[in-house]
Amino acid sequence: MNKVAVMTDSNSGITQIEGKKLGIKVVPMPFTIDGEEYLEDITLTQEKFYEMLLSDSYVSTSQPSLGYVSSIWDELLAQYDEIVYIPMSSGLSKSCASATQMANEEYKGKVYVVNNQRISVTQRQSVLDAIELAKMGYSGKEIYDILTEVKMQSDIFIMVDTLKYLKQGGRITPTAAALGGMLKLKPILLIKGEKLDKFKMRNRTVEDAEVAMIAAIKEAINGYLKELDGKTDNVHIEIAYSGTDTKDASQYAKMVKKEFNLKDDELVVQPLSLSISCHIGPGALALAISKAIPDKYIK
């Protein structure tokens, strides 16, 4: 049986400390802030990131150098037979495509780069699924195939607190931002597949948006996810947030646990990836869902 290593990047929300506990490698995502490069969770903390973002520093994302990624692959392949690497969605960064090309050209049959088009808490769940599949004895290629098969079985709905950063990034026009500000809209964005997209723009309060996200998750559970296997109880529900104030996320967690009858350890609450946060700003709140590994693959 091949020994399979699992690897991801910090867009999954998995910290360096948590990665060590899980026995996986986590590639830190690079950021350039006012011309200086930082590495997420190494030289760039959540607190420092938001302090600089709110001071109107120029923040841009980048991708890990291929030399750095390949050095980790070489290190892991000295101990393991294969690697399953789960980076952020190819629709949100070129890092996945670059890693895939390098794996196909230089590490064929050894490294499998999963483009399962997820980020943040749903990407994190893919990593946890890969770890479980590896423990069950699946090969790197088999884990790659399973994660690719189920990649669209997840959604992230994000309530944005301010339109400032969406306007700066060109995702909405200045006119739409001004109108949304006057109407005090709390837009909801959807991450599914290739991009960050608009879901609803008519919510006037945080409470409206929170209820709308819960309704959207219930629709997914009882809709397309149920159609897969007739089940509604084999899903993972997750909350994510941007900013350093966790009060709203904690309050929302209570509401979500009540709505879905979840125990404390059945609900993941994590900071949003900084790669998303730099485009939407602080104060965002997200509700996500991921279908569990299909029963046919459980050994």
Side-chain angles (χ1 to χ4, degrees):
M1 181 176 69
N2 285 358
K3 289 178 62 180
V4 180
V6 176
M7 178 175 160
T8 188
D9 61 35
S10 58
N11 288 296
S12 64
I14 297 175
T15 65
Q16 297 296 321
I17 292 175
E18 187 180 6
K20 289 179 180 178
K21 290 179 180 177
L22 292 171
I24 65 171
K25 288 286 186 178
V26 180
V27 177
M29 294 303 293
F31 287 78
T32 300
I33 304 177
D34 291 339
E36 186 173 347
E37 185 170 274
Y38 296 85
L39 295 176
E40 185 172 7
D41 195 37
I42 293 181
T43 57
L44 184 62
T45 63
Q46 292 269 328
E47 292 77 13
K48 186 172 184 177
F49 171 82
Y50 287 109
E51 178 186 333
M52 299 181 82
L53 187 69
L54 289 170
S55 70
D56 288 330
S57 294
Y58 180 74
V59 180
S60 64
T61 58
S62 184
Q63 57 177 306
S65 74
L66 289 180
Y68 179 74
V69 174
S70 67
S71 70
I72 298 178
W73 289 355
D74 292 339
E75 177 187 333
L76 288 174
L77 288 173
Q79 308 169 57
Y80 295 86
D81 301 305
E82 298 173 307
I83 299 169
V84 173
Y85 180 34
I86 307 170
M88 71 184 293
S89 167
S90 64
L92 300 170
S93 170
K94 294 180 181 178
S95 60
C96 182
S98 299
T100 299
Q101 182 177 351
M102 182 170 68
N104 290 339
E105 292 177 355
E106 302 176 35
Y107 294 85
K108 196 169 183 64
K110 293 290 185 180
V111 177
Y112 299 91
V113 180
V114 181
N115 179 21
N116 69 344
Q117 298 175 335
R118 298 187 185 188
I119 194 170
S120 191
V121 285
T122 56
Q123 180 184 348
R124 177 182 183 275
Q125 186 57 52
S126 292
V127 174
L128 298 180
D129 290 344
I131 293 171
E132 288 305 308
L133 291 168
K135 289 178 180 177
M136 290 182 215
Y138 284 99
S139 69
K141 177 63 165 60
E142 289 169 332
I143 296 172
Y144 168 88
D145 288 340
I146 293 169
L147 294 184
T148 301
E149 176 188 328
V150 304
K151 68 181 183 180
M152 299 302 287
Q153 297 174 17
S154 72
D155 301 295
I156 303 180
F157 298 93
I158 307 176
M159 182 276 293
V160 178
D161 185 55
T162 173
L163 299 175
K164 173 183 175 180
Y165 300 93
L166 290 174
K167 183 182 74 171
Q168 286 180 352
R171 293 183 181 275
I172 61 173
T173 65
T175 301
L179 180 61
M182 284 191 295
L183 296 176
K184 297 182 179 179
L185 294 179
K186 294 294 181 185
I188 297 175
L189 307 177
L190 169 65
I191 299 180
K192 186 181 182 71
E194 285 293 324
K195 58 184 178 179
L196 180 69
D197 212 347
K198 285 183 288 187
F199 176 64
K200 288 186 177 181
M201 287 285 285
R202 64 174 184 268
N203 305 285
R204 292 178 181 269
T205 67
V206 171
E207 291 75 18
D208 288 342
E210 290 176 342
V211 170
M213 290 193 295
I214 288 173
I217 292 296
K218 287 183 176 180
E219 184 178 347
I221 291 173
N222 295 296
Y224 83 97
L225 292 177
K226 183 179 180 180
E227 290 175 0
L228 296 170
D229 55 11
K231 295 183 176 182
T232 59
D233 60 348
N234 56 347
V235 295
H236 302 284
I237 297 175
E238 305 114 345
I239 288 176
Y241 60 91
S242 65
T244 56
D245 188 344
T246 62
K247 183 176 67 175
D248 290 342
S250 297
Q251 287 296 115
Y252 194 42
K254 293 178 183 178
M255 183 191 302
V256 170
K257 281 186 282 191
K258 183 177 179 180
E259 287 285 341
F260 295 96
N261 193 28
L262 300 173
K263 299 175 183 177
D264 288 346
D265 61 355
E266 292 176 326
L267 180 66
V268 170
V269 181
Q270 293 257 326
L272 270 169
S273 156
L274 296 185
S275 294
I276 297 178
S277 298
C278 72
H279 295 296
I280 62 177
L285 193 60
L287 187 60
I289 189 168
S290 306
K291 189 78 166 177
I293 300 171
D295 290 344
K296 63 183 178 180
Y297 296 121
I298 304 300
K299 295 183 178 180

